[in-house]
Amino acid sequence: MIEFRDVDKWFGSLHVLKRINLKVSGGEVVVVCGPSGSGKSTLIRCVNRLESIQSGEIIVDGQSLLDPKFDPSKLRTDVGMVFQSFNLYPHMTVLQNITLAPTKVKGLAAGEAEKVAKELLDRVGIPDKAGVYPANLSGGQQQRVAIARALAMKPKIMLFDEPTSALDPEMINEVLEVMTDLAHDGMTMVVVTHEMGFARRVAHRVVFMDEGQIIEEGKPETFFGAPQSPRAQQFLGKILSH
Amino acid sequence: MTYNFDWSVLWRGQSGLWLLQGLVTTIEISVVAWVVAFTLGIFSGAVRTVSITPLRWLASFYVEFFRNVPLLVWMFFWYFAVPPLLPQPLQDWLFDHGAEFWAGVVALGVYHGARFSEVMRSGIQSIPKTLFEAAVSTGLTMAQAYRLIIIPIALRLIIPPATNESLNLIKNSSVALTIGVAELTFQTRQIETYTAKAFEALTAGTLIYLVLCLAIATTMSQLEKRFAIPGMITKRQTGEF
Amino acid sequence: MKRLLLLLATFISVAGSITVARAETTLEKISQTGIFTIGTRTGSPPFAYVNKNNEWVGFSIDLVETSILPLISKKLNKQIKLEKKESAPNTRIPLLTSNAVDLIAETMSDTQSRREQVDFSLTFFATGAQFLVKRGTPIKGIQTIAGKRIAAQQGSTNAKIIRERVPTAKLLEFPDQPAAFQALAQGQVQAYTNDGIQLAGLKAKAPKPDEWAIVGEFFSYEPYGMAMRKNDSDFRQVVNVGLMEAIESGKYFELYEKWFGPKGEVPYPLAPETKRFLQMQVVPK
């Protein structure tokens, strides 16, 4: 579904991704973790072309992002993304946030889009918030709307960029539950997160990055049980100690 | 020696009519110029924040070129320098149909468009970049993301500075008297000529401008309340948006 | 909003009740400061303008310097310095009433309505309004301007007369002479009206004087006088005596020759009846 082949990326002189090779198959849930500044966010932002790469190749759903005929908007209808800062449209209601892209991009009729939106709100557990503006929702509710907004395009892949980092602790679980449901429904997911409990329970594979490189990858039980590299051991030691 | 105030000059003879005509012309030239300025400003201000370098460069050139030359010079430019470049019949037609008014409109519109552009640009730049990324992540094109998300939000944010610019535009419309547009300031001078009562005429003009500007400022602040994004103010205070 | 309205009301009532009180007369003011300030033009050759050498000169300025300034110095028994400030039709009366200048010496016509605000000296030049056109245009005078685009100077008496007598003419008023002439040269207007003598000055200064023609009978009478603050007869006496002495001694006609003679800036022969009129203004000592 997603394949990175020898990908390199620089921000100016800063080498943020170094020779990345990674494959994610359909239906797989991959958690990317690592210390801050390790390049994990940049990695998933490359998948939907929010970042461009300087060398190597990325293939998403059988299509190379380097293809001259490649259309980023088209790709993004198949790849949903959820951000750390929710990024709901503040001037629109929850319902309008969710129906915007389906009506404007896919040309769905308004009634049809609203029906889909209401089903999705039901699915993320806030069916009663359709007419509310984002500012009147809690962080956890906002993030669930953001997930519903991404799902409204019926994507094949979902990218999560630290979806719970900006949330108060008591709201983290409500978002993780939605993500877990999604994983159980067979969605292909790449999740950047520090929620190791989620990784252990839901991920098929854990990828550990540091300084722009993939240091280690493996099944959660192997990674958390017996990390191979000293850097992964050190990282896990730090975040699991509390 | 004393200066004898005689306020009756303002309603004796034609003074009242002239003030009214001046006010109408001031409103006409300001409204048309405002539409030009606002359209140019929104468009070029938005273009200045996109990642397409040639477009951005073009918009920057427009802004810097037009806002860094005095308005008076632009008035003369559009009235005296541009018409000779047009074919003779068109020139005559223009001169017979208020060329000075249209030259004034273009001068004011293009000059204030450049200033509106800066207001718009800073409005857009105060919106977190990730909001734009979220919009395009759902498959919206860049143009759609600007039209549906970024510009509507920016428009709400810029109401206070845009009000300021709009008032500047109205006040600057008086510069058009240099190319013979008979607007409000022109008419107050006219009254002064006929009655030799400078203070009364100028006071009348001043008060009319003041009332006009206050009315607009009030309307705009109503507009700001009406279109306020729910929760935006509290959000901004906590620094989240 | 309420407070603003209150503020407005206060502003109006204060402006309405001010009487600009002045303790001293013009001569006292000049004596105290040692400076005599006149308001004059920068673009009205040959009365007052900035010449090629960047000097601020002209007939009106010469009259003040040679005939009025020495008299003031003599009267106050001290050396007085002359200072010039720029004035325009819209600013000259406020300049006077606000004490910024003591005398307007340029091309200001003496009129009855102006006399309600300021006092005038005796007439030092008489002219009337005409039209400046491109040679060969059908405009021949005020009878032929209906429907035509006519430029005038903002605040001039000529504009007022055209508006009243030929309301169908499309009148465009410009704040100064250069802008009006530019509009004529480019075709924005078909004629420019001003006092005949001023048009003669403009024509003489034009790059190609032969391209232009001054047409029409005088459609107004424009007696130029020097304006000063109202009800200051001591000062007005000095100004008038200065002008009378200049006419009587012939100094006036020397200056006329300098500026309007065949070799002058704007050749404009003095009509015998005008000369007689000037001389008749001189009252016996």
Side-chain angles (χ1 to χ4, degrees):
Chain A
M1 206 64 159
I2 307 170
E3 188 175 353
F4 283 71
R5 287 183 190 155
D6 293 334
V7 170
D8 275 285
K9 173 167 181 65
W10 284 265
F11 283 130
S13 60
L14 192 67
H15 199 173
V16 285
L17 293 181
K18 298 173 186 162
R19 291 239 140 205
I20 298 289
N21 282 287
L22 180 69
K23 260 190 182 172
V24 178
S25 3
E28 200 179 6
V29 177
V30 174
V31 164
V32 183
C33 63
S36 73
S38 59
K40 51 195 194 301
S41 282
T42 310
L43 181 85
I44 69 164
R45 288 163 61 86
C46 289
V47 176
N48 68 349
R49 254 308 262 295
L50 286 181
E51 304 288 353
S52 52
I53 57 172
Q54 274 79 44
S55 78
E57 194 176 15
I58 299 176
I59 296 159
V60 177
D61 197 18
Q63 198 186 18
S64 168
L65 307 198
L66 295 178
D67 191 328
K69 281 178 289 182
F70 165 77
D71 174 1
S73 294
K74 203 155 189 180
L75 163 84
R76 288 167 187 157
T77 63
D78 288 334
V79 183
M81 185 155 188
V82 175
F83 297 80
Q84 179 180 349
S85 50
F86 327 139
N87 292 327
L88 296 181
Y89 314 136
H91 61 308
M92 293 181 175
T93 63
V94 164
L95 196 69
Q96 289 168 331
N97 263 274
I98 300 173
T99 55
L100 183 74
T103 51
K104 297 292 174 186
V105 180
K106 285 193 166 164
L108 219 59
E112 182 64 21
E114 275 176 31
K115 205 177 126 230
V116 173
K118 285 185 174 146
E119 283 167 17
L120 285 167
L121 283 174
D122 210 23
R123 186 166 166 191
V124 299
I126 38 173
D128 53 332
K129 298 290 184 193
V132 173
Y133 282 90
N136 300 325
L137 296 176
S138 72
Q141 289 170 333
Q142 288 196 49
Q143 194 61 300
R144 285 188 277 163
V145 173
I147 293 171
R149 178 174 70 183
L151 290 176
M153 293 301 284
K154 302 200 168 20
K156 296 174 182 163
I157 300 166
M158 283 288 285
L159 307 172
F160 291 86
D161 188 3
E162 306 206 22
T164 56
S165 303
L167 293 175
D168 292 336
E170 76 272 17
M171 293 172 185
I172 290 175
N173 273 334
E174 62 192 58
V175 172
L176 291 179
E177 273 165 30
V178 171
M179 290 167 64
T180 308
D181 280 352
L182 205 56
H184 290 157
D185 287 350
M187 177 64 76
T188 308
M189 293 164 65
V190 183
V191 184
V192 173
T193 187
H194 296 296
E195 293 299 326
M196 291 305 133
F198 173 80
R200 228 191 264 264
R201 277 184 285 114
V202 182
H204 300 117
R205 193 148 45 106
V206 177
V207 172
F208 175 72
M209 286 183 76
D210 193 17
E211 292 178 348
Q213 283 172 308
I214 294 178
I215 306 291
E216 198 172 327
E217 58 175 296
K219 287 188 178 305
E221 49 269 36
T222 334
F223 178 72
F224 290 112
Q228 303 297 303
S229 63
R231 275 193 269 184
Q233 287 161 5
Q234 200 189 5
F235 173 74
L236 286 174
K238 269 184 197 157
I239 66 165
L240 294 179
S241 62
H242 36 212
Chain B
M1 282 176 289
T2 56
Y3 182 89
N4 296 313
F5 280 87
D6 178 9
W7 295 97
S8 68
V9 297
L10 296 177
W11 45 88
R12 256 196 342 244
Q14 291 175 286
S15 300
L17 181 68
W18 286 341
L19 283 176
L20 190 68
Q21 284 171 342
L23 176 64
V24 169
T25 306
T26 288
I27 291 175
E28 279 172 352
I29 196 170
S30 300
V31 166
V32 184
W34 189 89
V35 171
V36 173
F38 201 65
T39 313
L40 279 172
I42 300 287
F43 189 73
S44 65
V47 164
R48 287 189 83 186
T49 64
V50 302
S51 51
I52 307 164
T53 314
L55 271 181
R56 204 176 55 224
W57 191 85
L58 202 73
S60 300
F61 173 77
Y62 159 66
V63 169
E64 297 308 335
F65 188 63
F66 281 90
R67 89 183 161 141
N68 288 319
V69 173
L71 180 58
L72 183 64
V73 175
W74 286 124
M75 288 280 173
F76 285 137
F77 176 80
W78 294 106
Y79 187 59
F80 287 123
V82 173
L85 306 173
L86 303 171
Q88 191 62 46
L90 185 60
Q91 273 188 50
D92 283 334
W93 187 88
L94 266 178
F95 295 154
D96 272 333
H97 293 83
E100 71 282 359
F101 179 86
W102 294 108
V105 162
V106 175
L108 272 171
V110 174
Y111 175 82
H112 280 280
R115 299 178 53 107
F116 268 124
S117 179
E118 281 298 276
V119 169
M120 188 64 191
R121 182 172 70 122
S122 66
I124 290 177
Q125 283 172 345
S126 73
I127 300 171
K129 195 164 169 45
T130 52
L131 195 69
F132 171 76
E133 291 176 346
V136 296
S137 293
T138 61
L140 295 173
T141 60
M142 188 179 80
Q144 282 175 320
Y146 265 85
R147 188 162 55 80
L148 300 167
I149 313 291
I150 302 300
I151 291 177
I153 295 174
L155 284 181
R156 288 163 164 90
L157 295 176
I158 64 169
I159 289 177
T163 304
N164 216 1
E165 262 319 307
S166 307
L167 298 184
N168 279 342
L169 186 149
I170 290 177
K171 289 178 274 180
N172 276 344
S173 68
S174 64
V175 178
L177 73 83
T178 55
I179 53 171
V181 178
E183 46 68 69
L184 187 54
T185 306
F186 178 98
Q187 298 290 13
T188 59
R189 289 178 168 205
Q190 171 112 311
I191 293 170
E192 192 186 326
T193 308
Y194 275 56
T195 63
K197 286 286 189 184
F199 291 107
E200 290 86 339
L202 286 173
T203 306
T206 308
L207 288 180
I208 294 175
Y209 276 113
L210 195 61
V211 169
L212 189 63
C213 288
L214 281 177
I216 287 166
T218 313
T219 314
M220 291 293 258
S221 84
Q222 294 297 325
L223 214 66
E224 193 185 1
K225 282 193 198 118
R226 165 83 180 70
F227 286 103
I229 295 170
M232 188 71 129
I233 294 175
T234 47
K235 279 281 167 191
R236 255 195 288 180
Q237 276 165 353
T238 60
E240 269 188 61
F241 188 85
Chain C
M1 196 65 200
K2 246 184 205 149
R3 248 192 308 167
L4 267 168
L5 287 174
L6 196 70
L7 203 73
L8 264 177
T10 321
F11 177 70
I12 295 168
S13 57
V14 167
S17 60
I18 294 176
T19 46
V20 188
R22 258 174 229 116
E24 54 185 2
T25 66
T26 303
L27 285 173
E28 281 166 1
K29 180 185 165 232
I30 295 169
S31 172
Q32 232 168 47
T33 55
I35 295 165
F36 173 43
T37 314
I38 62 167
T40 191
R41 307 296 293 262
T42 52
S44 294
F47 291 92
Y49 67 106
V50 176
N51 71 10
K52 288 190 201 87
N53 306 326
N54 212 20
E55 295 157 330
W56 201 351
V57 295
F59 179 66
S60 301
I61 296 172
D62 270 2
L63 267 180
V64 172
E65 269 179 352
T66 61
S67 315
I68 299 170
L69 184 65
L71 212 59
I72 295 176
S73 294
K74 204 174 115 197
K75 170 126 188 157
L76 296 175
N77 209 9
K78 66 195 269 195
Q79 197 55 47
I80 300 296
K81 224 180 109 219
L82 183 73
E83 246 180 37
K84 295 180 284 248
K85 275 193 184 164
E86 185 169 3
S87 61
N90 301 300
T91 61
R92 46 200 178 192
I93 290 177
L95 280 174
L96 270 182
T97 48
S98 67
N99 262 355
V101 304
D102 303 315
L103 184 75
I104 294 291
E106 32 143 296
T107 57
M108 187 174 182
S109 298
D110 185 352
T111 69
Q112 289 176 22
S113 66
R114 283 175 184 162
R115 280 190 191 195
E116 286 177 15
Q117 300 303 310
V118 292
D119 281 347
F120 280 90
S121 69
L122 49 87
T123 299
F124 69 89
F125 199 93
T127 179
Q130 290 176 292
F131 295 95
L132 183 67
V133 295
K134 248 189 193 127
R135 199 172 280 286
T137 21
I139 293 171
K140 299 278 177 263
I142 194 160
Q143 301 81 4
T144 49
I145 60 163
K148 296 284 196 294
R149 304 185 301 263
I150 309 295
Q153 212 171 324
Q154 275 167 23
S156 64
T157 39
N158 318 327
K160 184 176 168 180
I161 293 166
I162 288 190
R163 189 170 285 119
E164 282 159 7
R165 286 185 39 194
V166 195
T168 53
K170 293 191 179 106
L171 195 64
L172 265 172
E173 295 179 62
F174 294 90
D176 55 21
Q177 190 123 271
F181 184 68
Q182 181 77 12
L184 176 65
Q186 294 199 346
Q188 269 95 338
V189 296
Q190 289 140 325
Y192 168 43
T193 180
N194 204 338
D195 303 341
I197 181 61
Q198 299 219 37
L199 297 179
L202 206 54
K203 180 177 177 220
K205 290 261 160 214
K208 288 178 193 157
D210 291 343
E211 280 186 1
W212 307 99
I214 296 167
V215 299
E217 303 271 297
F218 286 170
F219 66 85
S220 71
Y221 170 49
E222 308 285 347
Y224 290 175
M226 295 184 186
M228 54 213 113
R229 277 179 288 277
K230 228 178 154 158
N231 301 329
D232 192 346
S233 48
D234 288 349
F235 179 60
R236 189 173 47 175
Q237 170 72 353
V238 176
V239 172
N240 276 340
V241 169
L243 289 172
M244 285 189 241
E245 281 179 357
I247 294 168
E248 204 168 28
S249 68
K251 181 79 199 161
Y252 176 94
F253 301 103
E254 276 171 38
L255 289 176
Y256 194 96
E257 191 67 13
K258 173 182 167 192
W259 293 103
F260 301 101
K263 287 180 194 145
E265 200 66 35
V266 181
Y268 199 77
L270 182 64
E273 64 269 24
T274 312
K275 184 169 184 179
R276 188 83 195 107
F277 163 69
L278 288 166
Q279 284 166 336
M280 283 176 74
Q281 289 189 102
V282 180
V283 297
K285 280 193 173 147

